[in-house]
Amino acid sequence: MNLSSAAPLLLWIGGSLSAGLVARALAIRLPALGHAGLGRWAAELALLLYYVGWPSLALFNGVLSADLMGLGRIGVMDTGLVLGFALRDWLWQATTAGLAAGFVLAVAWLAGRSATEHAPDDGQATAPSGLVWRNAVYAEVHWAFYRAPFLLLLGDVYWGALAGLALILAEWRWLGWPLSGRHPAGQFLHLACALVSTLLCISAPNLWLAIVAQFVIRRYGAQLVVGSRVVLRSR
């Protein structure tokens, strides 16, 4: 174990969780704050700072390295690199991400066919693409940040990624996850995204492709669940 290098990052993670607890307490006490004019913009800014701003601050302060975030060797002056990765790495990683996302979409289609006709729809299938991209970016940056100290601490990508997943699920349980929806379809897709993100961290660590994979799962997975249900109803 490498506690000395992981300790600063663990403190940053603790700060993130503390901020999440404070935000949840405020949301419970002032439920209407995020739905009105200025309050909605303030809530959106808070989400940006929480999911992207805090990890970015850790990265720029040198506490967090780009490779731990799945950014490869980004910033290195090498003509053979594209956004931090060599072309051959892009090919392997894109294939892995595509297969993982395709598997989830197949499961989503089967889940939609087996869903009851009265299963609720949380609107994710018709959400604007910009919102889906935002959710994918927020989630993947946040999750990569949460995995980073365990990758350092345990010195093993497999166990580090699984420990990070445990923390992600614990945060979801304790604080809730405003990007996942409250209905089973949204919860299922969110869990699938977390599992695929963990798999990619282990086998094909590329933050850019993880974001794309999550967008595909959130956008088309929700549409497959709803579409399969509509087809069944029409029969």
Side-chain angles (χ1 to χ4, degrees):
M1 287 193 177
N2 194 353
L3 183 59
S4 60
S5 59
L9 259 180
L10 289 171
L11 292 176
W12 280 75
I13 297 295
S16 177
L17 289 170
S18 299
L21 287 171
V22 171
R24 178 171 175 78
L26 288 175
I28 293 174
R29 291 180 176 273
L30 304 169
L33 182 62
H35 300 287
L38 185 59
R40 191 176 346 172
W41 284 101
E44 189 62 39
L45 178 60
L47 287 173
L48 176 63
L49 293 175
Y50 182 68
Y51 291 118
V52 178
W54 191 249
S56 299
L57 188 61
L59 183 63
F60 293 141
N61 275 274
V63 180
L64 182 62
S65 63
D67 61 321
L68 288 176
M69 287 293 291
L71 294 172
R73 291 179 289 164
I74 195 167
V76 175
M77 299 301 294
D78 188 333
T79 56
L81 299 178
V82 178
L83 293 177
F85 298 94
L87 291 178
R88 65 179 181 278
D89 295 328
W90 275 103
L91 180 60
W92 162 254
Q93 293 163 348
T95 301
T96 305
L99 290 173
F103 176 78
V104 172
L105 294 182
V107 174
W109 180 75
L110 292 173
R113 290 181 61 85
S114 62
T116 63
E117 123 176 57
H118 300 292
D121 175 19
D122 59 3
Q124 292 207 27
T126 56
S129 294
L131 181 62
V132 181
W133 276 116
R134 185 207 72 168
N135 291 347
V137 171
Y138 283 10
E140 289 298 339
V141 172
H142 187 66
W143 293 344
F145 176 55
Y146 272 22
R147 284 190 295 260
F150 298 104
L151 296 175
L152 280 176
L153 180 64
L154 300 177
D156 182 273
V157 66
Y158 178 79
W159 290 110
L162 290 181
L165 176 62
L167 178 59
I168 290 164
L169 296 179
E171 182 192 48
W172 189 14
R173 175 66 180 84
W174 294 334
L175 304 181
W177 184 262
L179 310 181
S180 65
R182 297 186 178 183
H183 297 305
Q187 304 272 333
F188 161 74
L189 291 174
H190 183 69
L191 178 59
C193 287
L195 293 175
V196 167
S197 180
T198 302
L199 172 65
L200 294 181
C201 174
I202 295 170
S203 59
N206 185 318
L207 181 63
W208 313 110
L209 288 174
I211 291 171
V212 173
Q214 181 160 165
F215 171 82
V216 170
I217 292 171
R218 287 184 180 274
R219 162 58 72 207
Y220 300 106
Q223 290 180 358
L224 282 171
V225 170
V226 175
S228 299
R229 195 179 302 155
V230 170
V231 170
L232 289 177
R233 286 178 185 174
S234 64
R235 291 180 177 176

